[in-house]
């Protein structure tokens, strides 16, 4: 795997995205300090940028980063050892034995997710911190995902880390009795990580497959930990059915392809089959929840051989159930699309215009599409322009610019 011609900075950047969450999670277990773990991993990647262009990639880049970060942290603790507890902590890091396990699953990232999603933290802080630590997202990216200013998000993350440290929140997977109450924010985090991978909030690429793969892996782990929780299975089914469409989401030149225009022959049929099997199992349990309902909607889409064969009446009925279970503006926006397909663009636009999510670029993009279908070209152009102004992913911006140009 070593590259005799050296390693480009872009390669190190890609590895940062891929390995950051794993490395930080491992270092948090070893060091017991989130800030120190993050700083050590960032220093290790800085060292990699200096060395790898000359030496080439090591056989296992993630292990190299983790080891280098651990050694850097030990050196720092030695330098800063002004108190006995610092000496004790540095000595602890030299012990070869793994620390005792606190939970039934040996997975550093799952442990870190449950730590970040502790009920002592506000829900928004739980999500933001886990996206930062597990997904390796920059603060600016998380701010865009939450539609808040970057300084606000930075303060939120700092306060969350301080709360974990000051309150002595343990780095462990909760015991069985605690798990059900701790589950909802963990599922929300996993879904947000997946969504950031499937539709990146920024950058040139529409998809960050590393985040999709990691979110699915972590959700599989959680499903193994909680096999009797249908919402865990529902989220896994939703991810698999959504991920199955990824090969068809972009054209060969990287441009975005919406669901109606996708070549369904490119869909990953193995993922479709697995996702549909999970949805059927959830239906038999008869304990519906938001993730299971969303998975059922995705399953209906996956049943249709072409877009024209989509059973929109079933999808609308499922969105009615979802709106009752999770009455959010984004759910209402997606339901409006189903209304438009079943009852016409005018009916869909009426539903969209009831919503107050003007900071969401897909709100304007959906309005623009419906207005264009109604022949209201001037209004459609203004709506596409508003969507283009808010969109931050280059692939989406290119798509919206093309739609806007097409209305000239």
């Amino acid at each position: 795997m070593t590259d005799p011609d050296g390693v480009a900075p872009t390669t190190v950047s890609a590895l940062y995205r891929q390995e950051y969450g794993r490395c930080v999670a491992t270092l948090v277990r070893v060091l017991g300090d989130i800030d120190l773990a993050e700083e050590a991993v960032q220093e290790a990647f800085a060292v990699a940028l200096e060395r790898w262009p000359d030496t080439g990639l090591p056989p296992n880049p993630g292990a190299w980063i983790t080891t280098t970060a651990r050694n850097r942290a030990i050196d720092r603790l030695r330098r800063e050892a002004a108190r006995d507890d610092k000496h004790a902590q540095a000595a602890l890091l030299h012990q070869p034995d793994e620390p005792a396990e606190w939970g039934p699953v040996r997975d550093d990232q799952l442990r870190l997710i449950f730590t970040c999603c502790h009920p002592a933290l506000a829900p928004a802080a739980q999500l933001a911190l886990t996206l930062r630590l597990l997904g390796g997202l920059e603060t600016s990216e998380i701010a865009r995902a939450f539609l808040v200013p970057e300084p606000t998000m930075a303060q939120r993350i700092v306060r969350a880390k301080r709360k974990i440290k000051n309150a002595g929140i343990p780095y462990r997977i909760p015991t069985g009795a605690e798990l059900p109450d701790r589950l909802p924010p963990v599922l929300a985090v996993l879904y947000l990580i997946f969504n950031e991978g499937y539709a990146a909030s920024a950058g040139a690429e529409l998809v960050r497959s590393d985040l999709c793969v990691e979110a699915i892996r972590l959700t599989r782990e959680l499903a193994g930990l909680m096999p009797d929780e249908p919402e865990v299975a529902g989220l896994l089914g939703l991810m698999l059915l959504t991920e199955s469409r990824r090969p068809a989401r972009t054209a060969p030149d990287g441009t975005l392809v919406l669901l109606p225009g996708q070549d369904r022959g490119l869909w990953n049929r193995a993922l479709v089959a697995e996702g549909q099997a999970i949805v059927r199992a959830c239906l038999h349990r008869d304990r519906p929840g938001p993730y299971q309902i969303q998975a059922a909607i995705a399953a209906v889409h996956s049943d249709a051989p072409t877009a024209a064969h989509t059973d929109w009446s079933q999808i609308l009925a499922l969105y009615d159930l979802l709106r009752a279970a999770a009455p959010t503006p984004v759910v209402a926006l997606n339901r409006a699309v189903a209304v438009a397909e079943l009852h016409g663009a005018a009916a869909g636009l009426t539903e969209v215009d009831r919503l107050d999510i003007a900071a969401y670029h897909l709100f304007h993009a959906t309005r623009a599409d419906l207005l264009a279908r109604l022949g209201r070209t001037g209004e459609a152009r203004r709506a596409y322009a508003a969507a283009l102004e808010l969109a931050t992913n280059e692939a989406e911006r290119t798509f919206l610019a093309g739609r806007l140009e097409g209305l000239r």
Side-chain angles (χ1 to χ4, degrees):
M1 188 172 175
T2 300
D3 182 357
D5 297 323
V7 180
T10 53
T11 302
V12 179
S13 178
L15 283 168
Y16 180 90
R17 289 290 202 184
Q18 179 180 328
E19 300 291 345
Y20 184 86
R22 293 186 182 94
C23 296
V24 168
T26 299
L27 264 292
V28 170
R29 170 171 56 82
V30 173
L31 302 171
D33 186 300
I34 290 175
D35 283 325
L36 182 57
E38 276 204 286
E39 291 169 8
V41 170
Q42 289 164 2
E43 286 181 12
F45 272 104
V47 173
L49 273 173
E50 295 176 0
R51 295 185 185 177
W52 289 357
D54 296 327
T55 64
L57 284 179
N60 187 332
W64 189 99
I65 290 292
T66 301
T67 300
T68 302
R70 181 179 181 276
N71 292 338
R72 289 275 168 147
I74 291 172
D75 290 343
R76 176 179 297 183
L77 289 175
R78 284 173 172 165
R79 290 194 303 268
E80 297 175 355
R83 299 187 303 274
D84 289 343
D85 61 337
K86 287 288 187 179
H87 285 293
Q89 188 174 8
L92 177 65
L93 296 176
H94 287 291
Q95 295 180 4
D97 295 333
E98 289 288 313
E101 288 302 309
W102 290 92
V105 175
R106 290 184 58 85
D107 191 292
D108 290 332
Q109 288 168 289
L110 275 177
R111 274 191 286 263
L112 186 55
I113 285 178
F114 275 102
T115 300
C116 294
C117 296
H118 193 277
L121 301 177
Q126 295 171 346
L127 301 177
L129 186 57
T130 308
L131 283 172
R132 171 69 191 131
L133 298 180
L134 273 298
L137 305 188
E138 299 298 330
T139 303
S140 58
E141 294 176 286
I142 304 170
R144 283 193 291 271
F146 281 92
L147 304 177
V148 299
E150 184 175 346
T152 300
M153 184 56 62
Q155 292 173 4
R156 189 175 295 172
I157 292 171
V158 168
R159 285 196 300 266
K161 290 194 285 188
R162 186 182 302 130
K163 178 77 171 182
I164 288 173
K165 186 173 184 178
N166 293 343
I169 293 174
Y171 175 61
R172 64 177 177 86
I173 295 173
T175 60
E178 297 175 284
L179 279 172
D181 290 339
R182 296 282 301 278
L183 182 61
V186 172
L187 295 181
V189 163
L190 292 172
Y191 193 32
L192 277 173
I193 293 173
F194 179 83
N195 282 338
E196 177 60 29
Y198 195 73
S201 60
E205 301 296 326
L206 177 66
V207 173
R208 287 180 52 192
S209 59
D210 57 328
L211 284 182
C212 293
V213 169
E214 195 59 27
I216 290 173
R217 186 190 73 81
L218 288 168
T219 305
R220 285 192 191 278
E221 293 279 0
L222 192 60
L225 174 65
M226 307 182 73
D228 296 325
E229 286 292 335
E231 277 292 82
V232 179
L235 178 59
L236 179 58
L238 173 60
M239 287 182 181
L240 294 173
L241 289 165
T242 306
E243 174 71 0
S244 72
R245 302 197 294 260
R246 183 159 57 87
R249 284 194 75 222
T250 53
D253 62 359
T255 56
L256 173 64
V257 181
L258 297 184
L259 180 60
Q262 290 178 8
D263 178 357
R264 300 185 179 213
L266 297 176
W267 288 3
N268 186 318
R269 303 316 301 184
L271 293 182
V272 169
E274 185 181 1
Q276 288 182 336
I278 291 173
V279 170
R280 288 193 294 270
C282 288
L283 290 174
H284 287 307
R285 288 177 168 178
D286 196 25
R287 291 166 54 195
Y291 293 111
Q292 295 172 79
I293 297 169
Q294 290 177 78
I297 292 169
V300 174
H301 281 296
S302 69
D303 277 334
T306 67
H309 288 86
T310 303
D311 187 347
W312 286 106
S313 60
Q314 187 176 0
I315 288 177
L316 182 56
L318 287 167
Y319 268 120
D320 287 339
L321 288 175
L322 182 59
R323 184 173 60 172
T328 69
V330 173
V331 168
L333 180 64
N334 290 330
R335 179 185 176 277
V337 173
V339 169
E341 293 296 333
L342 199 60
H343 300 299
L349 184 62
T350 298
E351 297 291 329
V352 171
D353 283 342
R354 291 174 178 161
L355 303 177
D356 183 19
I357 44 174
Y360 187 40
H361 73 286
L362 292 181
F363 165 77
H364 298 285
T366 302
R367 283 195 78 247
D369 177 68
L370 295 174
L371 288 165
R373 287 162 61 178
L374 291 169
R376 295 161 61 176
T377 304
E379 292 173 87
R381 283 182 52 78
R382 288 191 290 274
Y384 271 129
L388 187 58
E389 183 176 349
L390 291 169
T392 53
N393 178 276
E394 287 304 316
E396 286 188 308
R397 289 180 56 80
T398 299
F399 174 84
L400 292 168
R403 285 292 178 94
L404 180 58
E405 182 66 25
L407 290 177
R408 289 187 180 278

